[in-house]
């Protein structure tokens, strides 16, 4: 975390902040929805970056916490509890709890086993959601938007947008502080050399578990917002491919930079939206084959774009080891 | 009789059929520098790993200041005041030298569930870390990423980190390995200065350093302690000469 990252964060947030007036000015309400979606996925990606980028924990089932948050809102709404002041804390509490349980078990392993076990836990809940006929099974369920005692009207696109914006800004700020704190130092150093951490006296497990739980909680917030955005919840949100997409956003944007994953989420969702259109222009039915282009773009970024999109803006030689040079 | 700083009783460790530590008994006295020497593969590093809690022993008992620590984890032992350095440099490569040491300071400053204040601006961590760096001779290298330090400097950083945990017992695994002459001499001076405040178990191939520093020496061969005694005693010991030191030269101990 350095000065540059702070500047990139401020500029990015400013750009997000001016989207609503622009969409009104140019009468393009679609973009309001588009960027709301981007910011929600950005929250999820930033939360993954905490444990993946800073903590070195390759959690391959992170979308499951979005699912928990989304289902918490959906299920509460199903039972007539639409109050956001109840829904959001419960959504985050539920994701925290699941994060704590899954983390407690997954963090006993490492390396490829950790990847597999986090994936397995996520799949477990995915299939559980499918089996819940009461809540729509694999068709999913609709969910009314939350009510905030008349303070925020979630059906007002602009108000909803700024709520998401505030959540993203707050999450970025809190995690920025966290990463630089004593706790953050422990998390980052554990990624760097865990054996040394043990030798100088850190029981790293509890710190990693705390980070894992925090990441799950924040991702649960993204899920609660996601349910509101779609007015709908389905098991797809927890599908492993969705976890994979969130991870791609992190890597694409710049792992371990917090703001990078926000850029990654933007790039990923915009490409997903417009690549089919562009390909349609180039060749007939090209739109159906957009993944053929998306795939190589992602591979190129991973292979050649060390540091991701973030590195394009940050000056060279500022990534990784040479950070303080 | 004063209590041993570290008591090793019947310690064993095998890797498959290979016996790396073979029924070892040893008392380390408080405040002494106790050197452990022996040819490559004698089991010195394995012993350090067992004492520090990195490796679980097959059998035997380790007590630290009268307390049984045999089944304690590495962090728990560290919290009691037992620190180690690694033969193969083990530092936080992507952190600055100062942050490396500050992390060691932080480890002893209570739990690290502090999420708000920036650690790198905390004088309670930075000041002792700077002090430890200066003491080891890296005072002006604090801002350099550890990966960019020279080999000798990284070895010094190893020791600075161990010291920063304010241990009473130091387990040093070949601290001078790969160091230049001047760096070695500096390290000998430093260890000499630590004497008294710290009990030190020193593994070292540099015999000049060993005989200059050690109060007592234990010779390890195939996981067995074949002799323990004062340097003069060890130098004169027939079994030691035969098994290890070679007949003519006491400084020739083979490669590191
Ligand atoms: N993790 C391990 N697995 C198998 N064999 C090991 C392991 N660690 C050490 N050894 C073996 O144990 C013996 C002692 O090794 P070590 O303690 O590193 O010796 P030293 O430090 O005295 O050179 C050697 O023969 C080494 O090959
Ligand atoms: Mg060794």
């Amino acid at each position: 975390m350095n000065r540059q990252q702070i500047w990139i964060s401020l500029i990015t947030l400013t750009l997000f902040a001016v989207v609503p007036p622009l969409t009104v000015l140019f009468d393009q309400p679609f973009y309001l929805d588009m960027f709301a979606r981007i910011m929600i996925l950005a929250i999820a990606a930033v939360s993954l970056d905490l444990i993946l980028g800073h903590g070195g924990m390759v959690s391959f089932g992170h979308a499951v916490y979005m699912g928990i948050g989304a289902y918490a809102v959906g299920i509460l709404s199903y039972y007539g509890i639409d109050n956001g002041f109840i829904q959001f804390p419960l959504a985050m509490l539920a994701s925290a709890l699941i994060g704590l349980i899954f983390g407690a078990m997954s963090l006993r392993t490492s390396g490829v086993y950790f990847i597999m076990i986090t994936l397995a836990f996520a799949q477990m809940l995915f299939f559980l959601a499918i089996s819940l006929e009461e809540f729509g099974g694999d068709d999913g369920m609709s969910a009314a938007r939350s009510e905030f005692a008349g303070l925020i009207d979630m059906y007002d696109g602009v108000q909803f947008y700024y709520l998401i914006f505030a959540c993203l800004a707050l999450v970025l700020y809190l995690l920025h502080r966290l990463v630089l704190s004593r706790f953050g130092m422990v998390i980052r150093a554990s990624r760097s050399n865990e054996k040394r951490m043990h030798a100088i006296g850190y029981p790293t497990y509890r710190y990693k578990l705390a980070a894992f739980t925090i990441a799950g909680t924040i991702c649960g917030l993204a899920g609660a917002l996601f349910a509101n955005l779609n007015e709908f919840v389905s098991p797809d949100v927890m599908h492993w491919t969705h976890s994979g997409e969130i991870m791609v956003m992190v890597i694409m944007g710049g792992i371990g930079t917090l703001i990078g994953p926000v850029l990654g989420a933007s790039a990923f969702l915009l490409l997903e939206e417009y690549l089919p259109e562009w390909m349609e222009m180039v060749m007939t039915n090209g739109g159906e084959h957009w993944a053929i282009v998306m795939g190589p773009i992602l591979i190129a970024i991973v292979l050649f774009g060390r540091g991701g999109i973030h590195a394009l803006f940050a000056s060279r030689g500022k990534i990784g080891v040479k950070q303080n040079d | 009789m004063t209590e041993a700083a570290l008591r090793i009783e019947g310690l064993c460790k095998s890797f498959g059929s290979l016996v790396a530590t073979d029924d070892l008994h040893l008392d380390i006295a408080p405040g002494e520098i106790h050197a452990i020497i022996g040819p490559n593969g004698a089991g010195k590093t394995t012993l350090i790993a067992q004492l520090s809690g990195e490796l679980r022993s097959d059998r035997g008992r380790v007590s630290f200041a009268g307390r049984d620590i045999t089944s304690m984890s590495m962090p728990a032992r560290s919290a009691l005041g037992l620190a180690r350095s690694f033969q193969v440099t083990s530092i936080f490569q992507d952190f600055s030298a100062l942050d490396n040491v500050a992390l060691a300071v932080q480890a002893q400053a209570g739990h690290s569930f502090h999420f708000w204040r920036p650690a790198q601006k905390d004088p309670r961590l930075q000041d002792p870390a700077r002090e430890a760096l200066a003491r080891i001779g890296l005072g002006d290298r604090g801002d350099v990423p550890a990966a960019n330090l020279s080999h000798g400097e990284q070895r010094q950083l190893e020791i600075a980190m161990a010291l920063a945990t304010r241990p009473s017992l130091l387990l040093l695994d070949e601290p001078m390995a790969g160091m230049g002459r001047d760096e070695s001499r500096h390290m000998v001076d430093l260890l000499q200065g630590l004497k008294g405040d710290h009990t030190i178990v020193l593994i070292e191939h540099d015999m000049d350093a060993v005989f200059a520093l050690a109060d007592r020496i234990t010779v390890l061969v195939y996981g067995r302690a074949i002799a323990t005694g004062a340097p003069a005693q060890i130098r004169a010991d027939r079994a030691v000469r035969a098994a290890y030191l070679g007949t003519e030269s006491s400084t020739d101990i083979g490669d590191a």
Side-chain angles (χ1 to χ4, degrees):
Chain A
M1 184 67 49
N2 54 38
R3 217 159 264 285
Q4 251 171 352
Q5 279 168 19
I6 294 172
W7 274 111
I8 296 173
S9 304
L10 290 177
I11 293 167
T12 308
L13 286 175
T14 308
L15 291 176
F16 279 129
V18 299
V19 165
L22 290 179
T23 58
V24 171
L25 197 64
F26 294 101
D27 194 25
Q28 296 279 353
F30 164 76
Y31 287 99
L32 198 61
D33 193 73
M34 178 85 214
F35 279 89
R37 185 176 304 276
I38 285 175
M39 289 193 299
I40 290 172
L41 267 302
I43 293 173
V46 169
S47 76
L48 177 60
D49 191 37
L50 171 67
I51 51 174
L52 177 66
H54 293 93
M57 296 170 246
V58 187
S59 170
F60 200 46
H62 203 60
V64 78
Y65 305 103
M66 259 188 101
I68 309 278
Y71 267 95
V73 168
I75 291 171
L76 285 170
S77 146
Y78 178 83
Y79 288 113
I81 302 168
D82 287 331
N83 188 336
F85 291 117
I86 297 173
Q87 287 180 336
F88 276 68
L90 276 182
M92 292 172 74
L93 195 69
S95 345
L97 207 64
I98 300 288
L100 184 68
I101 294 168
F102 285 2
M105 291 189 273
S106 314
L107 287 168
R108 302 228 170 258
T109 66
S110 61
V112 76
Y113 298 100
F114 181 80
I115 300 175
M116 296 317 286
I117 198 168
T118 48
L119 175 61
F121 280 135
Q123 284 298 90
M124 214 171 76
L125 283 203
F126 171 75
F127 286 112
L128 176 71
I130 282 184
S131 70
L132 292 176
E133 293 300 335
E134 182 73 11
F135 304 118
D138 58 3
D139 291 332
M141 68 198 294
S142 60
R145 287 195 177 173
S146 308
E147 281 164 15
F148 285 96
L151 293 172
I152 306 166
D153 178 5
M154 297 287 267
Y155 286 100
D156 177 324
V158 173
Q159 286 189 37
F160 182 31
Y161 182 94
Y162 280 117
L163 174 72
I164 302 169
F165 175 80
C167 288
L168 174 63
L170 187 69
V171 163
L172 276 172
Y173 179 64
L174 291 180
L175 289 187
H176 167 72
R177 300 282 315 208
L178 180 145
V179 162
L180 294 177
S181 71
R182 289 188 181 202
F183 179 81
M185 291 297 281
V186 171
I187 292 304
R188 286 150 61 204
S190 300
R191 161 172 165 261
S192 174
N193 186 346
E194 189 162 21
K195 188 168 80 169
R196 191 34 137 159
M197 285 300 276
H198 291 155
I200 56 179
Y202 289 101
T204 54
Y205 175 82
R206 64 185 68 159
Y207 295 106
K208 285 160 69 178
L209 181 55
F212 196 92
T213 307
I214 291 169
T217 311
I218 294 172
C219 201
L221 169 66
L225 292 167
F226 201 57
N228 271 281
L229 180 76
N230 300 324
E231 297 174 53
F232 176 73
V233 181
S234 89
D236 286 347
V237 65
M238 314 193 215
H239 196 259
W240 69 270
T241 53
H242 198 228
S243 291
E245 283 175 15
I246 297 174
M247 192 176 285
V248 165
M249 293 170 194
V250 174
I251 296 168
M252 230 173 134
I255 198 162
T257 61
L258 293 185
I259 190 60
V262 177
L263 304 174
S266 313
F268 186 93
L269 291 176
L270 288 171
L271 276 176
E272 192 180 56
E273 183 68 30
Y274 293 107
L275 205 52
E277 274 180 35
W278 295 338
M279 290 197 50
E280 199 70 47
M281 286 182 227
V282 181
M283 63 191 223
T284 32
N285 289 337
E288 289 171 25
H289 305 296
W290 69 280
I292 293 174
V293 175
M294 185 71 157
I297 289 178
L298 297 182
I299 291 170
I301 287 175
V302 171
L303 286 185
F304 307 112
R306 225 173 71 84
I309 301 168
H310 175 268
L312 298 177
F313 299 109
S315 67
R316 278 170 203 291
K318 285 276 178 183
I319 305 300
V321 165
K322 308 246 152 34
Q323 202 157 29
N324 306 320
D325 225 0
Chain B
M1 183 194 140
T2 54
E3 189 161 38
L6 190 73
R7 169 162 292 174
I8 302 165
E9 294 166 286
L11 209 62
C12 295
K13 180 75 198 176
S14 303
F15 299 108
S17 63
L18 185 121
V19 183
T21 308
D22 191 359
D23 191 30
L24 192 72
H25 292 261
L26 196 60
D27 271 7
I28 311 287
E32 80 168 327
I33 296 188
H34 195 118
I36 295 178
I37 62 173
N40 275 321
K44 304 182 296 292
T45 297
T46 303
L47 176 62
I48 294 286
Q50 287 173 274
L51 297 179
S52 65
E54 185 191 351
L55 271 181
R56 197 157 284 278
S57 300
D58 297 338
R59 240 175 314 124
R61 215 176 104 100
V62 181
S63 328
F64 177 54
R67 204 157 151 181
D68 187 347
I69 60 164
T70 314
S71 52
M72 248 183 216
S73 70
M74 245 202 289
R77 292 181 203 214
S78 168
L80 285 182
L82 198 151
R84 78 171 283 191
S85 75
F86 291 82
Q87 179 178 0
V88 178
T89 304
S90 178
I91 53 180
F92 306 108
Q93 298 276 352
D94 44 352
F95 286 64
S96 74
L98 185 63
D99 284 341
N100 269 268
V101 184
L103 270 159
V105 174
Q106 186 185 323
Q108 300 305 318
H111 66 76
S112 287
F113 287 103
H114 298 284
F115 303 93
W116 193 246
R117 296 233 300 256
Q120 283 152 316
K121 288 181 188 153
D122 190 338
R124 286 168 301 176
L125 304 177
Q126 299 287 299
D127 295 348
R130 257 180 245 286
E131 210 171 287
L133 271 185
R135 188 174 183 190
I136 207 88
L138 291 176
D140 54 348
R141 303 288 279 162
D143 295 333
V144 179
N148 296 4
L149 294 174
S150 73
H151 174 80
E153 289 173 329
Q154 292 189 349
R155 299 301 297 162
Q156 288 172 297
L157 185 58
E158 268 281 333
I159 308 297
M161 288 170 76
L163 277 178
T165 64
R166 286 192 281 137
S168 58
L169 176 71
L170 279 161
L171 306 168
L172 305 179
D173 197 351
E174 301 195 25
M176 287 110 174
M179 273 193 173
R181 236 179 153 55
D182 288 344
E183 289 167 329
S184 286
R185 200 169 306 130
H186 183 79
M187 185 65 77
V188 170
D189 288 345
L190 180 89
L191 296 183
Q192 198 80 55
L194 295 177
K195 213 166 172 168
D197 296 338
H198 304 264
T199 308
I200 300 177
V201 175
L202 173 69
I203 290 175
E204 191 45 62
H205 275 311
D206 180 340
M207 285 304 125
D208 292 335
V210 166
F211 282 98
L213 286 169
D215 299 302
R216 286 196 300 157
I217 299 174
T218 292
V219 182
L220 213 60
V221 177
Y222 293 120
R224 284 187 158 276
I226 61 165
T228 293
Q233 250 174 301
I234 293 299
R235 221 191 277 269
D237 192 292
R238 229 172 248 285
V240 172
R241 299 187 140 250
Y244 175 52
L245 286 177
T247 41
E248 55 280 300
S249 167
S250 64
T251 53
D252 172 21
I253 48 81
D255 55 347

